[in-house]
């Protein structure tokens, strides 16, 4: 029995009449069997976004030839796209400092098969998480950094990403600010997590600040990394209501749970090609 392969085509282009019909017609003509589809037309940016899942049970040409057909179709539509094998998980590098709650969730969910990523390396400016990562059989790169060595250390991280063929850098509570140059090189391919008190409670001990002000909601935001610190396009936000009975310690624990949940959801949506950049925002094709 011939194995059926599954693919995901995610694309966007200027919105004009018939763009979806032209793409789906091409899939039909080549025998692509559509299994799922999602689309959105943004009236503000006049951009059309679509994610189409299909398999090759009836494909009339090799997948390499089909890719060429999509490339030819994309040119007149001014279309950017990604066509990937659904079962080929993207390779990722995780950066972490000392807090391990996000790292633990990413490692556990990846190992369980519920997070479609291949973690090929973990980099850190501390040694705290080394034993945990190596227990999972993943290479751990200790890259200490100072103000004077920042450029060199970032070059090492980029080299690891390149050598491993990684498509995504996950900042799992990596407590270093990336340079503008590195942010630009990783545009759309680096995800960060932070508490959702920003911009109200910046700096050290945000939970202490929030507690003293009696906040009623606690949360976390996962977003793409940009040169504008913690202001990149938002992918996922998680929130929970709290009240005056919550201690600072309880707020911290809940915040960590929300951070771990948000970053795993964001990584999953990115890995499944559900996230499209739309200026300073994202479109999530569910």
């Amino acid at each position: 029995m011939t194995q059926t392969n599954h693919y995901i085509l995610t694309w966007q282009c200027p919105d004009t009449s018939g763009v979806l019909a032209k793409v789906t017609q091409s899939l039909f003509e080549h025998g692509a069997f559509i299994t799922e589809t999602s689309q959105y037309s943004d009236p503000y940016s006049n951009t059309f976004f679509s994610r189409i899942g299909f398999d090759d049970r009836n494909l009339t040409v090799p997948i390499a030839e089909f890719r060429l057909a999509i490339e030819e179709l994309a040119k007149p539509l001014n279309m950017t796209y990604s066509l990937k094998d659904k079962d080929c998980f993207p390779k990722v590098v995780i950066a972490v400092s000392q807090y391990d709650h996000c790292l633990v969730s990413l490692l556990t969910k990846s190992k369980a098969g519920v997070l479609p990523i291949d973690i090929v390396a973990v980099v850190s400016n501390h040694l705290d998480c080394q034993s945990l990562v190596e227990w999972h059989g993943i290479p751990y790169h200790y890259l200490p950094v100072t103000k004077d060595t920042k450029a060199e250390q970032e070059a090492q991280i980029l080299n690891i990403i390149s050598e491993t063929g990684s498509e995504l850098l996950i900042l799992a509570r990596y407590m270093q600010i990336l340079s503008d140059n590195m942010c630009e090189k990783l545009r759309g391919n680096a995800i960060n997590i932070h508490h959702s008190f920003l911009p109200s409670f910046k700096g050290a001990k945000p939970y202490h600040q929030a507690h003293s002000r009696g906040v009623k909601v606690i949360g976390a935001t996962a977003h793409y990394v940009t040169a504008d610190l913690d202001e990149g396009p938002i992918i996922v936000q998680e929130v929970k209501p709290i009240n005056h009975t919550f201690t600072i310690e309880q707020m911290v624990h809940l915040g960590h749970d929300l951070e771990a949940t948000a970053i795993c959801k964001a990584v999953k949506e990115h890995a499944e090609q559900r996230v499209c950049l739309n200026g300073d925002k994202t479109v999530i094709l569910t």
Side-chain angles (χ1 to χ4, degrees), residues 100-110 115 260-261 263-264:
D100 66 0
H101 52 285
C102 291
L103 174 65
V104 168
S105 287
L106 291 164
L107 291 171
T108 302
K109 290 181 182 294
S110 175
L115 195 57
T261 298
I263 198 166
C264 285

Side-chain angles (χ1 to χ4, degrees), residues 89-102:
F89 295 172
K91 295 180 179 180
V92 306
V93 171
I94 299 175
V96 64
S97 289
Q98 293 174 289
Y99 292 114
D100 66 0
H101 52 285
C102 291

Side-chain angles (χ1 to χ4, degrees), residues 59-74:
L59 205 63
T60 58
V61 296
I63 190 63
E65 187 173 333
F66 179 72
R67 291 180 186 276
L68 293 176
I70 294 297
E71 178 66 24
E72 287 303 309
L73 176 66

